[in-house]
Amino acid sequence: MAPTMRNHNSSNGGSGKPDKFANAGAAAGGFVGGLGSSIAPPINITLNRNTTNHGTGTGGGAHGNRPHAEALLPAPEFTSPAQVRQYCNTLRSAAVALSIEVAMGSEILKGVLAAVPDPQGRALGSRIRAQKVARKMQRSADALRDAAKNAAACYSAFQQEFEEEINRVRHRARRPQVPQMNWSQQ
């Protein structure tokens, strides 16, 4: 690309020197515009924001506005089979999510504590101590996983034990049969 010469009336004081940066912006823009889409990886951003306040107050503690335990489950009103199913499914899904969080927390805790130097200078002393501490949190994760299994088993047991009552109501809730044409009556 040849340098462009500006008119003597330009801002370079009429010195007649070539303005070597005159087209630099256009050249850079064309280069970036041409290669930008082929070099840059696609970026997806997902934002989930819960704006409802379930009585958590404005402080919310050290973790912001995290919901309290009563916000995780619906009210324990068991006046229909649908409410029993909803409560058990909500309990199961909350326990599964919490068990995954606690298991991850256990692994993170184990990694952080393993990095602390052992006071006696033993080679694997910190790792052994970290494992002992993290084992308790891992047991909590296992208990939450068992709670999820028991919540699903609760609804299954409810269906088995109260099958007669459920079927009796289902029978009444069925659609009315379409009237059949009686061809013998003419």
Side-chain angles (χ1 to χ4, degrees), residues 160-177:
Q160 290 174 356
E161 294 296 326
F162 293 92
E163 182 179 12
E164 184 178 327
E165 289 86 352
I166 292 171
N167 287 336
R168 196 177 323 138
V169 174
R170 278 188 187 160
H171 180 68
R172 283 187 287 160
R174 288 187 185 153
R175 285 189 335 212
Q177 291 183 353

Side-chain angles (χ1 to χ4, degrees), residues 24-36:
F31 178 75
V32 171
L35 291 178

Side-chain angles (χ1 to χ4, degrees), residues 71-155:
L72 294 175
L73 295 174
E77 297 172 359
F78 304 115
T79 57
S80 70
Q83 286 181 330
V84 174
R85 183 182 68 241
Q86 179 194 13
Y87 192 85
C88 290
N89 282 342
T90 307
L91 175 61
R92 180 193 52 79
S93 65
V96 166
L98 285 173
S99 72
I100 292 168
E101 283 286 322
V102 172
M104 288 175 53
S106 170
E107 290 299 317
I108 292 169
L109 178 67
K110 184 170 43 172
V112 168
L113 293 179
V116 175
D118 188 57
Q120 282 85 29
R122 295 176 290 179
L124 297 176
S126 291
R127 287 189 185 206
I128 293 170
R129 292 186 312 152
Q131 180 63 34
K132 286 179 182 179
V133 173
R135 186 179 304 135
K136 301 297 183 185
M137 193 176 292
Q138 184 60 43
R139 286 184 182 168
S140 297
D142 294 341
L144 285 165
R145 190 186 67 228
D146 291 341
K149 289 178 188 177
N150 287 329
C154 176
Y155 184 67

Side-chain angles (χ1 to χ4, degrees), residues 36-60:
S37 62
S38 63
I39 293 175
I43 297 173
N44 296 326
I45 298 174
T46 304
L47 297 175
N48 294 327
R49 183 175 177 203
N50 187 3
T51 58
T52 59
N53 190 357
H54 297 286
T56 57
T58 56

Side-chain angles (χ1 to χ4, degrees), residues 5-8 12-19:
M5 293 291 292
R6 288 210 160 180
N7 199 344
H8 289 293
N12 63 3
S15 64
K17 293 182 184 176
D19 191 0

